[in-house]
Amino acid sequence: VGNLRGPAGPSGSAAKYYGVLRWSGKPYHPKANDFTRLKSNDGASLVVHKNVGDVAYAGGGVAYLTTPVAGIWLLSATQVWGNAMAPKGCGLGTSPNSGYEGMELWGDFTNATHGVVSRATFLEADTYLYPWTRNGASADMRPEAWGLRSEYSAVLLQPA
């Protein structure tokens, strides 16, 4: 099925590329009925949980995942909310300014306290991916519940 371990590193071992941004803040109540970009310094207070190959960054008020090499990447988003009935969604987009464009990964969730969405897709090298959510009134975003943590990740499956 091919080399799923990534391109060879300098020592001959397989180089790995993956990154995980994890929520480190308290419950958050973003503006209702609009997109909210999750950052490192307010709201979700995302931090780098795992980072191999310079894929994840959180600092200076920003948080993002990036693709150091072109290839097929597995993108994932997991978000927990306190209000199951509120309409809501989460994902990763290429625009740092708008959740209305450039979405590479997205999932809508209603009547659920958590959302999990993943997608394998080809991305060019140096693609930046910003975590976005959209929340109905009183969605009540949470860092975790039932052992499930709010986090956003990218993993290289196959280099170009």
Side-chain angles (χ1 to χ4, degrees):
V1 180
N3 175 11
L4 296 180
R5 297 185 313 160
S11 65
S13 64
K16 297 177 183 173
Y17 293 94
Y18 60 87
V20 178
L21 297 170
R22 185 173 277 178
W23 186 311
S24 71
K26 298 178 180 179
Y28 179 46
H29 305 281
K31 183 178 176 183
N33 303 315
D34 202 1
F35 285 95
T36 299
R37 189 175 121 207
L38 304 181
K39 300 179 180 179
S40 68
N41 65 344
D42 79 323
S45 298
L46 295 177
V47 298
V48 173
H49 177 65
K50 299 289 182 187
N51 186 26
V52 174
D54 293 326
V55 174
Y57 177 82
V62 298
Y64 58 80
L65 299 165
T66 187
T67 59
V69 298
I72 298 173
W73 286 81
L74 177 63
L75 308 178
S76 297
T78 301
Q79 184 60 58
V80 179
W81 292 274
N83 181 355
M85 300 309 290
K88 52 211 167 271
C90 64
L92 292 164
T94 58
S95 173
N97 302 315
S98 174
Y100 290 98
E101 57 190 48
M103 283 297 162
E104 292 290 343
L105 172 72
W106 188 259
D108 285 315
F109 308 96
T110 302
N111 298 324
T113 53
H114 64 280
V116 179
V117 61
S118 296
R119 174 183 181 219
T121 187
F122 183 89
L123 295 171
E124 297 293 343
D126 300 321
T127 300
Y128 286 78
L129 300 161
Y130 302 92
W132 286 92
T133 64
R134 184 171 171 89
N135 301 278
S138 303
D140 188 26
M141 293 175 64
R142 301 285 177 99
E144 68 177 299
W146 314 283
L148 188 62
R149 296 176 183 256
S150 296
E151 64 183 30
Y152 297 79
S153 65
V155 177
L156 178 65
L157 297 179
Q158 178 69 44

